[in-house]
């Protein structure tokens, strides 16, 4: 399931015009090639940067946009105006472009050559106002896009481009993607549901429901050799509890967990799925709630949502794509319980079983314990803590007339004391700006109890992604107040109501 982002590419497209003559256009071409090559070599750029010939006519611009639309591994464009590029030339192309673009507002030279600058130099290096002309037409066409300003060789600019490209890669993977839903939604729960047709129209992925019996059929067909191979992996990768080791009383329980993992993996691979859901209210034919299987599948890049939460499953999948190759990890998460001590209020995040070991720190233990819900046998699971550092929680909701992406950065902190009787993976964090404001703003915004949690993805990745997806973005951070969030939500409601009629 894990895929290298270097199999994807972004096209570097430079705008100019024929009025400057052949020699100037040749220099524009040379400069553009040099920038594209430097970006392609940058460690901050996660995909390949492909130089495209300088465009100087409406026909050339329209052609390059059409080619981008139909090139399967092209995730979008980096556009740069080396000189002035009359924006009417861009209208047909940008109107037809179905992939996102980022506007790089830079110039080839970093500094003005004060002692030698002349009109030839000025005619060649017109990014300052060429970019404004291009910016106008993007705004006039009401196109959401990112603008990155600064010299192309600086780490800041390359990092911002890299962030946008990670979001673009996730958006690209959503197109035509598939989410498998084993069973239905958890009964009577509201926020995990939503309009799947609306989601497919807007996001590009489809959600398909399957009876648990379809999954059980694959699980029952797993060969003993595959189970034994997985058991060897468990022994090599984790600290396995004594009772689950060879000869232990719970060895057969662990073998059943291995059978479930292999069966689920086969089902997802055969169907071309990138994300999936389960629910403990629909386990007919399964001996235990899939815990270990879900954790290990997430570690391999699959998105997951519990209790039928297909929106969170897709979001976790997208966040895992964004995080490819970055330090940290990404997991399905749930705000489970609070520490409301006045000296420092915190959230204990966990789930019954399904937290991804990509965020683990220290020893990861493989254990078997009762669950107390679902009415099945004791399930296997990975148990671990999470290292301190910056993180982010994100939730996506169907608000009826639109989708909303809600984002809240946080600081992961150590637990105040060991948790010897809590046999699940867990993480403790302090949300920004504090729990009182963050929880209040989250609830007023309709945020779900399920989130995508990451210590690799940032709020900037998610903001860029929301713009590509054309959805509402609400940020709860250090600058948030309850009064401000109420105003923002009211204004947003009005905006999206009016936007439907424009």
């Amino acid at each position: 399931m894990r895929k290298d982002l270097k199999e994807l590419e972004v096209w570097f497209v430079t705008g100019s015009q024929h009025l400057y003559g052949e020699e100037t256009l040749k220099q524009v071409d040379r400069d553009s090639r040099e920038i594209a090559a430097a970006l392609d070599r940058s460690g901050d750029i996660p995909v390949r940067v492909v130089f495209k010939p300088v465009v100087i006519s409406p026909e050339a611009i329209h052609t390059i946009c059409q080619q981008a639309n139909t090139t399967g591994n092209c995730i979008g464009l980096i556009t740069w105006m080396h000189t002035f590029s009359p924006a009417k030339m861009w209208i047909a192309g940008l109107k037809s472009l179905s992939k996102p673009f980022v506007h790089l507002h830079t110039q080839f030279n970093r500094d003005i050559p004060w002692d030698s600058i002349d009109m030839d130099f000025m005619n060649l290096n017109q990014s300052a106002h060429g970019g404004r002309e291009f910016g106008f037409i993007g705004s006039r066409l009401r196109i959401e896009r990112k603008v990155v300003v600064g010299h192309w060789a600086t780490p800041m600019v390359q990092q911002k481009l890299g962030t946008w490209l990670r979001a673009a890669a996730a958006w690209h993977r959503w197109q035509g993607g598939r989410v498998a839903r084993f069973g239905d939604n958890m009964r009577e729960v509201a926020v995990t549901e939503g309009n799947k047709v609306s989601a497919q129209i807007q996001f590009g992925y489809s959600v398909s429901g399957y009876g648990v019996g379809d999954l059980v059929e694959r699980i029952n067909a797993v060969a003993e050799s595959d189970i034994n191979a997985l058991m060897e992996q468990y022994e090599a990768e984790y600290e396995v509890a004594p009772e689950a080791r060879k000869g232990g009383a719970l060895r057969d329980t662990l073998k059943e967990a291995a059978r479930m993992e292999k069966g689920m993996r086969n089902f997802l691979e055969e169907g071309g799925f990138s994300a999936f859901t389960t629910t403990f209210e629909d386990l007919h034919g399964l001996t235990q709630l899939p815990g270990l299987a879900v954790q290990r599948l997430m570690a391999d890049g699959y998105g997951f949502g519990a209790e039928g939460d297909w929106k969170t499953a897709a979001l976790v999948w997208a966040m895992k794509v964004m995080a490819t190759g970055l330090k940290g990890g990404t997991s399905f998460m749930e705000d489970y319980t609070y520490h409301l001590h006045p000296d420092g209020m915190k959230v204990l995040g966990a789930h019954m079983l399904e937290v991804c070991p990509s965020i683990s720190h220290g020893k990861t233990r493989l254990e078997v314990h009762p669950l107390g819900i679902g009415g099945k046998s004791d399930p296997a699971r990975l148990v671990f803590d999470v290292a301190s550092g910056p993180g982010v929680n994100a939730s996506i909701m169907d608000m009826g007339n639109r989708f909303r992406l809600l984002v809240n950065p946080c600081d992961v902190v150590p637990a105040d004391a060991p948790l010897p009787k809590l046999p699940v993976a867990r993480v403790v964090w302090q949300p920004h700006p504090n729990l009182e404001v963050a929880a209040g703003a989250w609830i007023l915004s309709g945020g779900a109890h399920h989130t995508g949690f990451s210590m690799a993805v940032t709020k900037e990745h998610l903001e860029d992604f929301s713009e590509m997806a054309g959805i509402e973005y609400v940020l709860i951070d250090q600058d948030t107040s309850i009064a401000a969030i109420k105003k923002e939500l009211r204004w947003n409601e009005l905006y999206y109501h009016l936007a439907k009629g424009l």
Side-chain angles (χ1 to χ4, degrees), residues 217-238:
E217 183 179 345
R218 299 296 204 291
I219 292 172
N220 290 341
V222 171
E224 286 296 315
S225 59
D226 290 333
I227 296 172
N228 293 334
L230 273 177
M231 297 292 279
E232 290 179 5
Q233 285 187 34
Y234 298 162
E235 298 280 359
E237 294 179 24
Y238 313 118

Side-chain angles (χ1 to χ4, degrees), residues 309-331:
D309 190 349
W310 52 271
K311 299 188 301 300
T312 300
L315 178 62
V316 171
W317 165 33
M319 292 173 70
K320 282 186 170 290
V321 174
M322 294 181 217
T324 302
L326 297 178
K327 293 182 179 179
T330 301
S331 178

